[in-house]
Amino acid sequence: MHTKEPNAAHKAIAELEQRLKPQGRSVTVITQNIDRLHHKAGSSNVIELHGSLFYTRCTVCGHVEENSKSPIVPALKDRGAPDPDATSSKIPLDQLPRCTHKQCGGLLRPHVVWFHEGLFPEVLEATDEAMKECDLCLLVGTSSMVYPAAGFAPMLALRGVPVAEFNLEETPVTGMLKFHFHGKCGDTVPEAISKHPAEDQK
């Protein structure tokens, strides 16, 4: 994950945030991704619906902290590559990552939302506030099949907020939205949100 770099769409969105600040306007990124590439691109106002792989959470005390170690403990070295034929690593419990907060010692897990887990309440609250303030929505590169996130853009569209979808193909919500830009997001997003000459007149 450390080797991944933001694409042109990530960078264009971060640039848009910086460009709109002097105008008194804000850009909020609501992402399902757990790779922090929006942060790496320069976005500062990011809501991570499903958490981040670069944070850990204790399964006992619940303490959350940033952790960018790779591997997080020596026992996990070379154990992360996906392999359908892989057998159990059988790592001893005493070699698994442990919480050091106040000498807790509980097992650590990634601070992400796994399937069948609910979203974090504080994240849902922040998302709700961002939705209330939203006057334009860009729906970038998502399948619009994973809820509750899949319902955000249609809710905004029903409220009359313009929603522009950027995708290689149509999604289950395309017909509910005002705009659809077909193609690679790294190509379509930068062009669509590039600086307009009229901005210099404000």
Side-chain angles (χ1 to χ4, degrees):
M1 193 66 72
H2 285 279
T3 62
K4 304 301 180 184
E5 294 295 330
N7 63 27
H10 291 105
K11 294 175 182 177
I13 293 168
E15 191 275 332
L16 178 66
E17 178 185 340
Q18 296 304 314
R19 201 171 78 233
L20 293 184
K21 273 184 181 179
Q23 302 177 27
R25 303 172 70 187
S26 64
V27 173
T28 300
V29 175
I30 301 175
T31 180
Q32 297 178 86
N33 296 331
I34 57 177
D35 52 24
R36 292 185 73 78
L37 288 180
H38 282 290
H39 293 84
K40 203 170 185 179
S43 291
S44 61
N45 192 14
V46 182
I47 299 173
E48 296 170 308
L49 289 176
H50 297 158
S52 169
L53 276 178
F54 295 95
Y55 281 78
T56 56
R57 183 169 80 249
C58 179
T59 58
V60 175
C61 72
H63 178 70
V64 175
E65 67 179 19
E66 186 171 1
N67 192 316
S68 298
K69 297 176 183 177
S70 182
I72 188 172
V73 289
L76 295 178
K77 182 176 175 59
D78 299 325
R79 303 287 182 101
D83 181 356
D85 299 318
T87 57
S88 172
S89 296
K90 295 182 179 178
I91 299 172
L93 279 175
D94 61 0
Q95 294 181 29
L96 291 175
R98 296 282 178 170
C99 177
T100 58
H101 179 66
K102 296 182 178 179
Q103 300 180 327
C104 169
L107 284 172
L108 293 178
R109 57 163 285 177
H111 186 49
V112 299
V113 176
W114 284 325
F115 283 105
H116 306 300
E117 292 183 336
L119 300 188
F120 308 121
E122 65 274 16
V123 169
L124 285 174
E125 183 177 343
T127 300
D128 184 58
E129 288 302 313
M131 295 268 288
K132 289 177 182 176
E133 299 294 325
C134 181
D135 58 9
L136 173 66
C137 174
L138 308 181
L139 188 62
V140 181
T142 178
S143 66
S144 293
M145 296 179 69
V146 178
Y147 283 84
F152 295 162
M155 286 171 58
L156 290 171
L158 285 172
R159 206 178 76 202
V161 175
V163 180
E165 180 181 52
F166 297 82
N167 214 304
L168 283 170
E169 56 190 7
E170 293 190 354
T171 70
V173 304
T174 301
M176 309 176 202
L177 312 179
K178 193 167 186 179
F179 305 102
H180 176 84
F181 294 88
H182 182 85
K184 293 181 178 179
C185 295
D187 296 329
T188 56
V189 172
E191 182 177 3
I193 64 176
S194 61
K195 187 176 182 179
H196 191 277
E199 290 185 55
D200 292 325
Q201 301 172 12
K202 295 181 179 180

